Amino acid sequence: MKSDLFASENLVQQATAPGMSLQNAKSVKYAVNGEMLARQGSMIAFRGNLQFERKGQGIGGMLKRAVTGEGLPLMAVRGQGEAWFAHEAANCFIVDIEQGDALTINGRNVLCFDSTLSYEIKTVKGAGMTGGGIFNSVFTGYGKLGVMCEGNPIVIPVSANQPVYVDTDAVVGWSAHLNTSLHRSQSIGSMIRGGSGEAVQLMLQGEGFVIVRPSEARPEKTQSS
């Protein structure tokens, strides 16, 4: 049987070492030897002896998710084998986090990560009750984090003398040590007259970077409407 479908770049190769790697631009492969964590429902295939169990967020995490609609619904994957993860054909990226690093990521953009990483759902300081959610996941420790983004991400440097303003529905993540606050870019009079659609943004200050996606649409809301 012959077809471009069977091109070498589409064929899965046997893993040579445990851990995470990109299968292609839209999926992550994880050679499991013990335990790892992934977004609930993101497994698209596996082979070997693996078990998948829902992982709770604790009372605080469940409360935050119920209040804001944001959060990080996870499952633990345990055993020995290989698993593939993806979500709605979003672009996938692997971030290597080292000791001393701290990365804030919106829960909707987390795909999977090593169990050696620590994560905590924290309040985004200064964000108030914004439409983009006020709770994000902060990752620390060491290990690999699989991140997904609808479209090609835009990484914008943030410097002490030049803050960056981002739409709360477009932001993917940022350096966790940046200072955050709300910024109003529209006058009250303009809002009364119908507004520009760009009333309030999240302002980030300090030294680091912010990641945004090229879309303000929220897929989970679009699908439910």
Side-chain angles (χ1 to χ4, degrees), residues 186-215:
Q186 182 173 301
S187 68
I188 298 297
S190 176
M191 292 178 66
I192 293 174
R193 291 191 296 271
S196 64
E198 305 293 349
V200 178
Q201 297 81 39
L202 186 67
M203 180 172 70
L204 300 107
Q205 296 175 293
E207 295 286 344
F209 60 87
V210 59
I211 309 162
V212 295
R213 59 180 180 167
S215 171

Side-chain angles (χ1 to χ4, degrees), residues 97-150:
I97 296 178
E98 300 178 343
Q99 290 287 1
D101 292 341
L103 180 64
T104 293
I105 292 288
N106 195 305
R108 68 189 173 211
N109 296 102
V110 174
L111 182 61
C112 56
F113 56 95
D114 292 340
S115 60
T116 53
L117 287 175
S118 298
Y119 71 96
E120 185 177 358
I121 300 176
K122 289 188 175 182
T123 304
V124 178
K125 293 181 180 178
M129 294 301 291
T130 65
I134 62 172
F135 297 100
N136 271 16
S137 303
V138 180
F139 287 86
T140 56
Y142 69 94
K144 291 185 177 182
L145 167 66
V147 174
M148 57 188 179
C149 178
E150 300 87 350

Side-chain angles (χ1 to χ4, degrees), residues 46-68:
F46 78 93
R47 60 186 180 187
N49 183 19
L50 296 176
Q51 292 80 43
F52 301 82
E53 296 180 9
R54 179 173 180 172
K55 186 174 178 65
Q57 302 180 59
I59 299 299
M62 288 189 292
L63 176 60
K64 292 172 183 177
R65 182 170 173 78
V67 169
T68 66

Side-chain angles (χ1 to χ4, degrees), residues 143-165:
K144 291 185 177 182
L145 167 66
V147 174
M148 57 188 179
C149 178
E150 300 87 350
N152 294 326
I154 303 166
V155 180
I156 306 172
V158 181
S159 60
N161 60 355
Q162 191 172 32
V164 176
Y165 308 87

